[in-house]
């Protein structure tokens, strides 16, 4: 490289020039050689950094579908009598709230549920300036209007900056005065290979020194989504503890999801606002024998010694189709099919509840469910199993507190200590006779159901559950290997 530079002492060499001139095809080699020469004082290195501002996922989305405030403003401008109640019918809740917030900040007021503004032209102008800004990207940071740039920097996921470093080199007086006879071409070994070690060549080889303090780029390779990686890890832990995995469908009947678990038919969690019932299939046939068993237990406790819930039992309710609200629906069916064979089963799978989306809730999430059925199984064993699981996950401090579920007695809440606070991660207990006896189960059944996303938030240090599913590539790339 120096020899080549001596041929043109006033030239400023770009990376391409060097690669070309030296017939190298690896940038790192050229940068490394340049660095070596500059350390010797033979060349001077110039670096310039250019910052390009690009759209991120939310920005691309806004460009395709319109900015949230633009869509809301459009809707308001085209409505005769725009008010919050009708707006909420046209927009999802996660859009309406933040969207109105955005509009309020640019002069739209909401009073008595009605929208108004002193200066509609101004609102339109601000909004169209924002849209124009987004469509002007990618652009160099210097060319951007500061106010807009700052605005979008403050909105998560809209824009991102990318720095590009350009390096050039120039030979110094000292470099020019090195006599070309003293410049010998020598091959330096930069990688120690098995072949090199097996042959005798290493004895005379000269090794290239590495500067380990230099910044290097991290290779981007494909990898599992952190949630998938976490599920794998949980699977491995349960398999290692002697459990077998159960994988079942999430379309289920209310009967298995609730009646079999002695959840009364008028339990509030069964209401439409909590559970996703299906239109198709709205009814799933169950055998009368099974439903008769449940019916007896619910009405008067059958032969279990329980008093039941009293009242009536509806087979129509049992046969309603729904999206399972917990994975306990699957373990109970497994037990019904295998009532006398001792077992340890687990499942990590998706469940559904009508929850409004917020920082800690999603309508679709996962549970880590498990059962142990065997002679002599007891509460201590349940607690130890859960403690062992969390300890293997890296959370050695676990405690349990009394809780209530209609299908277990005793019932527990499981809590894990994280950053000095106790966090509730799930429920557990021993199935009640009202649940096990009609199925012909003679051994105690220990059962638990814990939140996977909650655990993921601890593992990944998140304070917003939504981050797990928004496919933010930058964030995904930076997640630790689980
Ligand atoms: N099914 C309960 C829930 O969804 C958890 C649980 C499972 C509780 C098994 C006790 C026994 O919260």
């Amino acid at each position: 490289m120096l020899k080549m530079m001596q041929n043109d002492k006033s030239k400023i060499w770009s990376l391409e020039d060097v690669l070309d001139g030296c017939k190298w095809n690896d940038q790192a080699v050229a940068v490394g050689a340049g660095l070596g020469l500059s350390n010797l004082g033979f060349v001077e290195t110039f670096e310039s950094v250019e910052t390009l501002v690009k759209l991120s996922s939310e920005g691309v989305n806004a460009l395709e579908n319109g900015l949230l405030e633009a869509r809301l403003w459009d809707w308001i401008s085209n409505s005769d009598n725009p008010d919050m109640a009708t707006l909420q019918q046209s927009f999802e809740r996660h859009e309406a709230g933040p969207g109105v917030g955005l509009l309020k900040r640019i002069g739209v007021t909401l009073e008595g549920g009605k929208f108004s503004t002193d200066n509609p032209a101004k609102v339109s102008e601000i909004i169209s300036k924002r849209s124009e800004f987004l469509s002007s990207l990618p652009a160099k940071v210097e060319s951007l209007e500061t106010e807009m740039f700052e605005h979008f920097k403050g909105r998560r996921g809209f824009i991102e900056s990318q720095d590009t470093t350009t390096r050039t080199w120039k030979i110094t007086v000292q470099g020019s005065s090195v006599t070309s006879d003293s410049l010998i071409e020598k091959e330096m070994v930069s990688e120690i290979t098995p072949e090199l070690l097996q042959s005798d060549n290493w004895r005379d080889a000269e090794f290239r020194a590495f500067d380990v303090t230099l910044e290097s780029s991290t290779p981007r390779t494909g990898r599992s989504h952190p949630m998938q990686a976490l599920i794998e890890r949980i699977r491995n832990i349960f398999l290692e503890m002697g459990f077998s995995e159960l994988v079942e469908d999430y379309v289920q009947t209310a009967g298995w999801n609730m009646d079999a678990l002695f959840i009364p038919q008028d339990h509030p969690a069964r209401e439409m606002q909590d559970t996703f019932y299906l239109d198709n299939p709205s009814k799933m046939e169950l055998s009368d024998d099974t439903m008769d068993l449940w019916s007896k237990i619910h009405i008067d406790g059958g032969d279990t010694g329980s008093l039941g819930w009293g009242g009536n039992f509806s087979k129509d309710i049992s046969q309603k189709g729904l999206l399972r609200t917990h994975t306990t629906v699957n373990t109970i069916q497994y037990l019904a099919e295998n009532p006398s064979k001792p077992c340890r089963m687990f499942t990590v799978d998706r469940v559904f509840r009508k929850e409004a989306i917020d920082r800690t809730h999603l309508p679709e999430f996962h549970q880590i469910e498990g059962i142990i059925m065997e002679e002599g199984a007891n509460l201590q064993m349940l607690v130890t199993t859960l403690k062992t699981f969390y300890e293997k996950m890296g959370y050695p401090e676990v405690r349990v507190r009394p809780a209530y579920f209609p299908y277990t007695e005793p019932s527990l809440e499981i809590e894990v200590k994280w950053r000095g606070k106790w966090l509730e991660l799930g429920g557990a207990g021993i199935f009640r006779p009202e649940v096990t006896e009609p199925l012909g189960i003679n051994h105690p059944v220990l059962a638990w159901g814990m939140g996977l996303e909650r655990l993921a938030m601890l593992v990944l240090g998140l304070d917003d559950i939504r981050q797990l599913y928004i496919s933010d590539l930058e964030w995904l790339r930076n997640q630790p290997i689980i």
Side-chain angles (χ1 to χ4, degrees), residues 325-328 353 367 369-370 405 407-408 412 426-429 431 447-450:
T325 61
H326 53 182
T327 35
T328 321
R353 289 184 198 170
Q367 287 188 325
E369 185 93 19
F405 299 101
Y407 36 99
T408 48
L412 312 172
F431 277 150
W448 58 88
M450 305 175 298

Side-chain angles (χ1 to χ4, degrees), residues 101-120:
L102 285 163
L103 289 178
K104 277 186 177 167
R105 260 167 270 152
I106 53 176
V108 177
T109 50
L110 178 62
E111 254 167 53
K114 302 223 174 299
F115 294 104
S116 61
T117 177
D118 300 337
N119 194 345

Side-chain angles (χ1 to χ4, degrees), residues 118-129:
D118 300 337
N119 194 345
K122 182 88 200 284
V123 176
S124 301
E125 189 196 318
I126 296 177
I127 291 178
S128 56
K129 266 178 85 180

Side-chain angles (χ1 to χ4, degrees), residues 41 94 100 139 156 160-161 173 175 192 255 264 287 300 344 441 445 458 464 476:
H94 71 271
V100 170
R156 195 173 173 161
E160 63 195 47
S161 307
V173 179
I192 300 173
S287 88
D300 62 16
R344 293 176 162 230
I441 297 166
V445 182
L458 305 197
D464 192 329
L476 287 169

